[in-house]
Amino acid sequence: MLRRSAAFLWKYKKTTLVAAGATYAGYRYRKIQRESDAKLVVAPESVLTWKIVNGLLVESTKNIKVGSLGFLGSMLKKALIDSDEVTIFDALLSLEMAAKDPRIREICINLTNGSKDSQGSPGSAGISLTQAQELRAALLAFTEQKKKQLGPAAGRVYFMVDSFDDQTTYLLASGCSDIIAQPSGYLPLTGVSSTQLFFRRLADKIGVKPVVESRKEYKGFASTFTETKLPVKQRENMVAIINAINDMLVDDIAACKLHGAKAPLTAEIVRSAMAEGPLSVPEAIDRGLLSRSGYFLDTKPITGPKSRIGITAYRLVRQKELSRQSDAKKKDTVCIVYMSGAIRRNGMHSASSLANALLNAAKEPSVSALVFRIDSGGGDAIASDTIAHAIDHIQNELGKPVVASYGSAAASGAVLASITCRKIFANPGSITGSIGVVAMKPMFTKKLLDYLGVNVEELRVVDNRSNSFTEEPTGAELERFRARVDKIYDYFVARVAKGRGFTPEQAEAVARGQVFTGIQAKDNGLVDELGSLTRAVEAAAQLGHKDIDDGYKADITENINVKFCVPETNLGFKHLAKNFMWQAMHEDAKNLLLQNTSQSDIDLKLDDFYFK
């Protein structure tokens, strides 16, 4: 038996070595993880440290699916996710837990370009306006809480950077008590602007004519192809939006109370700086926009000899502590489902896959409510309706509330998808609205076809030119095209009226393609509350709590479990096994196979071997 076993292991020595190596690596990984977890403690008078790397402060982390690989799968997931990566939710949760934890006295944020592989600007956090608003509010709440908890000297938040590369990062920094930049750096405070390109003249020049139907006058998606400048109504809407966002920026920065600043900030000072920016660091200090100049090496002397703990390590330790303390308490579980990018009917992250993700999350017995976190400018109307129907089914048939949380944008089709949610949260700078429809198809004119030397002959059984790309629709065909667009628009507006409890006239008043900020949407009733993702989670937990008479008050740091659902990158066992078998094959055998077999046939044979 021993001899046969040895012969078997020698015959498959490559496989044996890989398996032994993986087993040992897993053992070492588990041992190191246990040892590091045991050493992590939060000491009194601690400083929470946070290294922000451009591109690694993200909305949602990668959801790597690794089948049933156990510890190896866990190792793969950790290897594929950068150690400096922090999600917006985790950052908000860490800051809110730290605000209530008397052991955390201060925060020190270091904005860095991180590793040698970092691609973004080192002086930029790489986040959107609304993400900066969410995090800034959490930093301000931390300072306020600490002053009440530990006295007026506590709660300082230091923001260290060599030089700012954008205004949004400075907005985030304005939530801190001390902003420190190198004396050679700059502050690019220049105000909000919008630049749009128009391709009408190019289309005319090459002989492409877009056939467009928009509903209605404020819907501007197609204007970039059909106009040479913004139409009057769309210009009015865009000017109102950028003015509103600029006012938010000015008001938030002017409210900044910097420790040791040369002068108190006012809105007039901020507007003057925008008119004259970018400013050098010494100029920004003189105007009270920065606390002082300094370098990264000055961080320790600033905070003193206090104990330090990183933001990710702190979150893990504190969550374990709170979990042990609240074992006896009832916790409600909320699942956050993410939707980002264009809404499509096909592709890896199609509307049907997102609808299934919502439904699967809602069917989990432990989940009492869902949060639908959106960062999308819209997309296909049919795809949006698919998602909307899934939300209706979850709320009406499964009896579980869905709360929408609007991130950077939730416009057009994203509004259609989410408008019937039990509650809708937005950030002040969220871009929403755009309740309207655009249908567009390009027509290739004779000018383009002659230039290319192409002849076209279309053969039809039925006299219907609706699908032609060389003949512009006219007469009854054009009327049918317009009627389809009208029906989609009417359906959209009716959904808005149903979801928000509007009359048809009220729904039409906020439709017509108008775009709004989160503040404007709160005022006109499209949004229920202004608040961060964590506030939306608390609202969902409160709505989903079954026993309404037990005095339950949802608190993200105490009595809510959170699950996540994000698009998957599949690294399943079958995929890994096929690759392993191919890599383990002798080179001569590989060459022989490739000479006589297509790669697709090889894949099929590996599939067959795997399943047998």
Side-chain angles (χ1 to χ4, degrees):
M1 176 67 74
L2 186 61
R3 185 180 297 172
R4 277 190 297 176
S5 298
F8 178 84
L9 291 173
W10 179 252
K11 183 178 179 181
Y12 296 101
K13 52 184 176 292
K14 280 189 177 181
T15 306
T16 303
L17 286 171
V18 170
T23 303
Y24 179 72
Y27 164 75
R28 290 290 300 163
Y29 167 75
R30 285 276 178 89
K31 184 179 179 183
I32 291 169
Q33 191 177 46
R34 283 194 298 268
E35 289 173 352
S36 62
D37 287 349
K39 291 177 183 176
L40 283 174
V41 292
V42 184
E45 296 281 302
S46 285
V47 176
L48 184 68
T49 62
W50 184 9
K51 182 172 74 172
I52 298 179
V53 181
N54 185 305
L56 295 182
L57 182 51
V58 296
E59 186 62 48
S60 61
T61 193
K62 301 168 188 172
N63 187 18
I64 310 295
K65 185 177 181 181
V66 289
S68 56
L69 294 178
F71 71 84
L72 183 57
S74 178
M75 290 168 60
L76 280 169
K77 290 175 83 167
K78 287 186 178 293
L80 291 166
I81 296 173
D82 196 293
S83 60
D84 290 324
E85 185 173 278
V86 178
T87 68
I88 296 296
F89 177 82
D90 284 346
L92 291 170
L93 179 60
S94 300
L95 294 173
E96 292 185 29
M97 289 192 297
K100 294 182 178 181
D101 189 344
R103 296 169 299 179
I104 301 294
R105 187 177 181 84
E106 297 173 347
I107 297 175
C108 186
I109 300 172
N110 186 338
L111 185 63
T112 174
N113 63 349
S115 67
K116 63 182 180 180
D117 299 322
S118 298
Q119 300 296 317
S121 301
S124 170
I127 57 176
S128 69
L129 170 70
T130 55
Q131 290 169 335
Q133 288 175 331
E134 286 180 299
L135 294 168
R136 178 182 179 276
L139 292 170
L140 289 171
F142 171 87
T143 298
E144 184 180 356
Q145 181 79 8
K146 288 300 162 186
K147 290 185 182 303
K148 293 177 182 176
Q149 188 182 76
L150 302 175
R156 289 180 66 173
V157 181
Y158 302 91
F159 193 98
M160 306 285 294
V161 65
D162 56 357
S163 180
F164 285 95
D165 287 339
D166 60 50
Q167 297 178 114
T168 306
T169 301
Y170 179 70
L171 175 64
L172 170 61
S174 71
C176 303
S177 60
D178 298 73
I179 308 176
I180 305 162
Q182 289 183 191
S184 54
Y186 280 87
L187 176 59
L189 201 60
T190 55
V192 178
S193 62
S194 173
T195 302
Q196 190 166 339
L197 300 176
F198 295 90
F199 301 100
R200 171 62 186 272
R201 290 171 58 219
L202 174 62
D204 291 343
K205 185 178 290 187
I206 64 176
V208 175
K209 182 177 182 181
V211 177
V212 174
E213 287 294 325
S214 292
R215 300 294 181 273
K216 294 186 178 177
E217 68 271 24
Y218 291 97
K219 193 71 175 178
F221 174 78
S223 296
T224 189
F225 304 105
T226 62
E227 307 293 336
T228 56
K229 62 180 183 180
L230 276 173
V232 174
K233 291 291 185 183
Q234 293 169 25
R235 174 182 285 274
E236 288 176 1
N237 194 190
M238 183 58 66
V239 168
I241 290 291
I242 62 174
N243 276 330
I245 293 174
N246 200 72
D247 289 344
M248 287 180 214
L249 200 61
V250 170
D251 292 344
D252 285 346
I253 293 171
C256 180
K257 294 180 174 60
L258 291 179
H259 192 272
K262 284 190 175 181
L265 277 175
T266 64
E268 290 72 23
I269 290 175
V270 177
R271 291 188 187 277
S272 172
M274 285 179 171
E276 298 173 31
L279 302 175
S280 67
V281 164
E283 289 172 328
I285 292 171
D286 289 340
R287 298 181 187 223
L289 293 162
L290 299 176
S291 303
R292 57 194 177 279
S293 62
Y295 295 86
F296 292 126
L297 294 177
D298 299 334
T299 305
K300 286 190 177 180
I302 287 171
T303 57
K306 302 180 183 72
S307 297
R308 292 164 166 255
I309 185 167
I311 192 168
T312 300
Y314 172 74
R315 176 177 58 82
L316 296 174
V317 171
R318 188 60 180 149
Q319 281 181 315
K320 286 182 180 178
E321 291 176 346
L322 292 171
S323 178
R324 288 194 294 267
Q325 292 169 13
S326 59
D327 280 342
K329 292 184 179 179
K330 166 69 178 171
K331 282 195 172 187
D332 280 73
T333 299
V334 175
C335 184
I336 303 175
V337 181
Y338 288 88
M339 179 176 76
S340 61
I343 303 172
R344 295 188 173 93
R345 292 167 66 192
N346 58 358
M348 184 183 293
H349 306 143
S350 65
S352 59
S353 65
L354 185 56
N356 285 332
L358 286 162
L359 290 166
N360 289 337
K363 289 175 183 176
E364 281 285 329
S366 63
V367 172
S368 59
L370 278 71
V371 169
F372 191 25
R373 176 69 166 186
I374 301 171
D375 186 5
S376 170
D380 186 272
I382 297 170
S384 302
D385 193 36
T386 299
I387 299 167
H389 178 70
I391 290 174
D392 286 350
H393 179 81
I394 290 166
Q395 296 189 132
N396 300 331
E397 303 299 324
L398 302 182
K400 295 187 178 181
V402 182
V403 172
S405 172
Y406 289 174
S408 304
S412 194
V415 174
L416 174 59
S418 62
I419 199 66
T420 57
C421 289
R422 283 279 300 277
K423 219 167 195 179
I424 300 177
F425 282 75
N427 288 288
S430 299
I431 298 300
T432 187
S434 193
I435 299 165
V437 181
V438 174
M440 179 173 65
K441 63 177 182 177
M443 305 302 299
F444 298 155
T445 65
K446 187 175 184 299
K447 179 179 180 179
L448 176 62
L449 298 175
D450 288 345
Y451 176 77
L452 296 174
V454 174
N455 295 327
V456 177
E457 183 177 2
E458 294 181 345
L459 303 177
R460 300 185 185 87
V461 175
V462 178
D463 186 20
N464 187 330
R465 293 171 174 78
S466 298
N467 294 325
S468 174
F469 61 88
T470 60
E471 296 184 43
E472 190 173 349
T474 58
E477 289 164 359
L478 180 58
E479 291 304 313
R480 289 196 297 271
F481 181 47
R482 288 172 174 168
R484 287 199 304 273
V485 176
D486 286 332
K487 285 179 181 177
I488 296 171
Y489 176 78
D490 292 342
Y491 176 73
F492 195 167
V493 174
R495 288 282 303 180
V496 172
K498 175 186 175 184
R500 303 309 298 163
F502 290 167
T503 64
E505 294 76 21
Q506 289 172 323
E508 180 67 19
V510 296
R512 310 179 76 84
Q514 298 171 87
V515 179
F516 306 105
T517 65
I519 290 175
Q520 293 166 342
K522 171 71 168 61
D523 292 340
N524 65 32
L526 284 174
V527 163
D528 293 298
E529 292 187 34
L530 297 177
S532 67
L533 176 57
T534 47
R535 300 291 78 76
V537 170
E538 288 176 342
Q542 197 71 50
L543 289 169
H545 190 67
K546 301 301 181 186
D547 189 352
I548 60 174
D549 298 322
D550 65 355
Y552 176 81
K553 189 177 188 310
D555 188 319
I556 191 69
T557 64
E558 293 181 6
N559 52 21
I560 303 173
N561 288 321
V562 179
K563 292 185 175 182
F564 302 90
C565 182
V566 295
E568 288 179 341
T569 301
N570 190 12
L571 291 178
F573 185 78
K574 175 183 168 183
H575 173 81
L576 290 169
K578 283 167 61 177
N579 281 337
F580 174 76
M581 285 187 284
W582 178 251
Q583 293 299 326
M585 195 178 293
H586 195 277
E587 289 300 321
D588 291 340
K590 285 183 187 178
N591 293 332
L592 184 64
L593 267 175
L594 289 169
Q595 287 172 12
N596 298 287
T597 317
S598 69
Q599 184 64 53
S600 58
D601 287 339
I602 291 173
D603 286 340
L604 287 172
K605 289 186 181 300
L606 288 173
D607 277 348
D608 185 53
F609 176 82
Y610 170 71
F611 283 115
K612 285 182 179 178

